[in-house]
Amino acid sequence: QALQRLAKWLQVEENVIVDSVRASPWIHIDETGWKIQGINHWLWDFVNERLALYRIRRSRGRKVPEEVLTKDYSGIPITDFLSAYDKTGALRQRCLVHLKREMERILELDSSQESKAVYKKLNRILNDAYRLDDLREKLTPVVFLHRLQLLQARLFRFSTANYSSKHWQRISARLIKYHREILTFLKVPNLPRHNNHAERMIRPSVIFRKISFENMSNKGARAHEVLMSLLQTLRLSEVKAIDYFKKAYLSHRQGYSLVFMPP
């Protein structure tokens, strides 16, 4: 209960993180299984290079990103291919590392000549996209745009081709649905093309899940949200967490305003 009391006093600090996340030009999002009193929930993280926000919800659907970021969020979510993110943000970038992992798994399941050829074709498209991103500063805008358009055309042709393998049929169907969200990183300079940061930032909670009973009450879950959001944001900002918690708790108990403002 001490952690719950601490979290209650520090909610005002967490509100600053919420506002900053909603104002971010892009945000990584991920989710993992969680339990409250043994009942299945999901722990979500909304993170970038300086901010971390966590939410525990019963739903794994789109209402959670809409709640956290609001329906008016104009930034770019960087996510896996979960359909819950389909309506979030003005643009979206789907994680290319997730896509490549799926391609590798398919090659393990189906090592036929056709499968190898399809893998090679899609892998070449993605690698050419990476190289184009690396050459961004060396090319004129006209040349860069022309090469981007060629890549988009190649990706669309790949997505609409016929494949006998059910695995590659699944990938092509996914790419048809999300072909406009695969190469967004080429349209927006410095936009990450994978969601590894979200996976790294959710890992501390995954470790916590393995060595604990997760949360035994809604109040405990709320305390986890607040304290984990602050702790991880402080770490990203290279602020000493223990010193901050001491100062913030005492300041709020005495009626003072915000102690820490995330950059």
Side-chain angles (χ1 to χ4, degrees), residues 31-43:
E31 76 291 327
T32 188
W34 200 257
K35 284 184 173 64
I36 300 177
Q37 289 184 316
I39 299 174
N40 290 334
H41 285 67
W42 296 91
L43 183 144

Side-chain angles (χ1 to χ4, degrees), residues 102-112 115 166-167 170:
E102 184 72 9
M103 292 163 57
E104 296 288 347
R105 282 195 291 267
I106 291 174
L107 208 56
E108 292 174 2
L109 294 171
D110 181 2
S111 58
S112 66
S115 181
K166 63 180 181 181
H167 303 297
R170 185 180 71 253

Side-chain angles (χ1 to χ4, degrees), residues 120-133:
K120 184 176 181 181
K121 186 175 183 179
L122 180 54
N123 194 52
R124 185 181 294 121
I125 293 173
L126 297 179
N127 287 339
D128 286 348
Y130 295 167
R131 281 191 286 271
L132 180 58
D133 193 31

